[in-house]
Amino acid sequence: MTAPIKIEKTPEVADALAEGRPVVALESTIITHGMPWPGNRDMALEVEATIRAGGAVPATIAVIDGHLHAGLDEGTITQLAQAKDVMKLSRADFAYALAEGRAGATTVAATMMAARLAGISVFATGGIGGVHQGASESFDISADLDELGRTPVIVVSAGAKAILDIPKTLEALETRGVPVVAFGQDAMPAFWSRESGIKAPLRLDDAEAIARFETTRRALGGHGGMLIANPVPLEDEIPASEMNRHIAAALATARAKGIEGKAVTPFLLGEILDLTDGKSLKTNIALVLNNARLAARIAAALASEGA
């Protein structure tokens, strides 16, 4: 009989979970694959501080030497931020990293898996993966979508990454029964931009309403995740009209260079960083912090309901 996966929790996370206090999961690929040192460490610590300021406990998820961690201390975050050859883990290779004693940073899908195992119901990230542009030819569709369909974790993001085919991503989520809820507006946000030009399937305006929705879904049973699409603050956004030009240029470069698979997203984000003279990174950090604030409020609202 297979033994359960052991999760190494910091005392802060373990105590909060045991006492029913709010906890928010965080991915680790944003540290290892999202930006260079030391900005990656500084951003990770700022996101954790933002969650604490919102009354919740942060639990950054990572695999270190084959051990699954829910919660990292500052020293471990610093080591991870400087580490080389860290695997980028999704559902397909999550167990491989554990079995082979590897270091791995978790994507949205793997973080959802770990959060469920740890008993954490809310997860804050930047943007989810989805259906890539040209997927009808490449079949490049993120495992994040299937994970949202099967794993009961609330994911707070700025929508799908704007480099994706957002209408097809929404269709794929609808097929999987995933509620997509725009927070405080009718339009679906587009990561760096507050509006994508696409109406969101659902809208809710406060954390308490999201918590009520989730507890009702639990009562029905058999549900997967929920996506909360939280628009970037107005003062930090890059308008969609501007971003669409940069995305088109970056996609053309990727096609010309034959970039495929897991390499596509980091390549496109790097190209867009150059095309925006660094502004996209500042917006990315702002939206992650904004998502952390909302996730803390949702976690607190769930905790107050005993959920």
Side-chain angles (χ1 to χ4, degrees):
M1 186 173 181
T2 304
I5 297 294
K6 180 181 178 183
I7 305 175
E8 298 189 12
K9 305 181 183 77
T10 59
E12 181 186 29
V13 170
D15 289 347
L17 289 172
E19 296 166 8
R21 292 188 284 114
V23 179
V24 175
L26 297 167
E27 65 170 282
S28 46
T29 50
I30 197 168
I31 302 172
T32 58
H33 295 76
M35 62 185 72
W37 167 267
N40 54 351
R41 177 203 58 196
D42 297 343
M43 180 274 310
L45 295 176
E46 187 176 5
V47 172
E48 291 209 343
T50 298
I51 288 171
R52 289 190 182 96
V57 171
T60 298
I61 307 294
V63 175
I64 299 171
D65 297 329
H67 297 281
L68 177 58
H69 289 255
L72 304 177
D73 60 32
E74 183 173 341
T76 306
I77 288 174
T78 299
Q79 291 174 9
L80 187 64
Q82 298 178 86
K84 308 296 182 185
D85 300 320
V86 178
M87 293 182 68
K88 184 178 181 181
L89 302 179
S90 190
R91 173 169 280 271
D93 43 19
F94 191 8
Y96 175 91
L98 293 170
E100 295 298 314
R102 297 288 296 273
T106 54
T107 60
V108 168
T111 304
M112 291 184 71
M113 292 172 66
R116 180 187 60 80
L117 288 171
I120 301 169
S121 298
V122 183
F123 161 36
T125 186
I128 66 159
V131 180
H132 278 261
Q133 302 279 352
S136 59
E137 297 296 327
S138 68
F139 287 84
D140 192 351
I141 301 172
S142 172
D144 295 354
L145 301 183
D146 281 336
E147 208 60 50
L148 277 158
R150 65 160 67 92
T151 302
V153 173
I154 297 173
V155 179
V156 182
S157 80
K161 293 182 175 74
I163 57 176
L164 303 173
D165 188 322
I166 294 177
K168 287 186 175 62
T169 297
L170 288 173
E171 286 292 340
L173 288 168
E174 193 277 333
T175 298
R176 290 158 176 80
V178 178
V180 179
V181 181
F183 184 73
Q185 64 179 39
D186 293 324
M188 188 73 182
F191 199 63
W192 297 287
S193 310
R194 288 179 60 82
E195 298 196 9
S196 63
I198 301 163
K199 190 177 187 301
L202 300 168
R203 170 179 174 166
L204 290 171
D205 293 346
D206 57 67
E208 292 73 21
I210 293 168
R212 286 197 304 273
F213 185 17
E214 175 63 8
T215 54
T216 305
R217 294 179 72 232
R218 292 181 187 183
L220 288 172
H223 70 288
M226 180 193 302
L227 179 63
I228 305 301
N230 185 31
V232 64
L234 180 62
E235 62 271 20
D236 297 305
E237 83 158 333
I238 304 174
S241 57
E242 178 181 344
M243 284 309 306
N244 289 341
R245 294 195 304 272
H246 298 317
I247 292 167
L251 285 166
T253 303
R255 285 192 292 268
K257 293 187 174 184
I259 306 296
E260 298 178 341
K262 286 187 176 182
V264 171
T265 295
F267 176 83
L268 292 175
L269 295 178
E271 285 290 301
I272 290 167
L273 180 64
D274 291 339
L275 290 167
T276 60
D277 295 322
K279 188 177 178 182
S280 64
L281 178 57
K282 294 179 182 178
T283 299
N284 197 344
I285 293 170
L287 66 86
V288 170
L289 293 171
N290 192 47
N291 295 339
R293 283 188 287 270
L294 178 57
R297 289 159 54 193
I298 295 169
L302 281 170
S304 70
E305 294 192 9

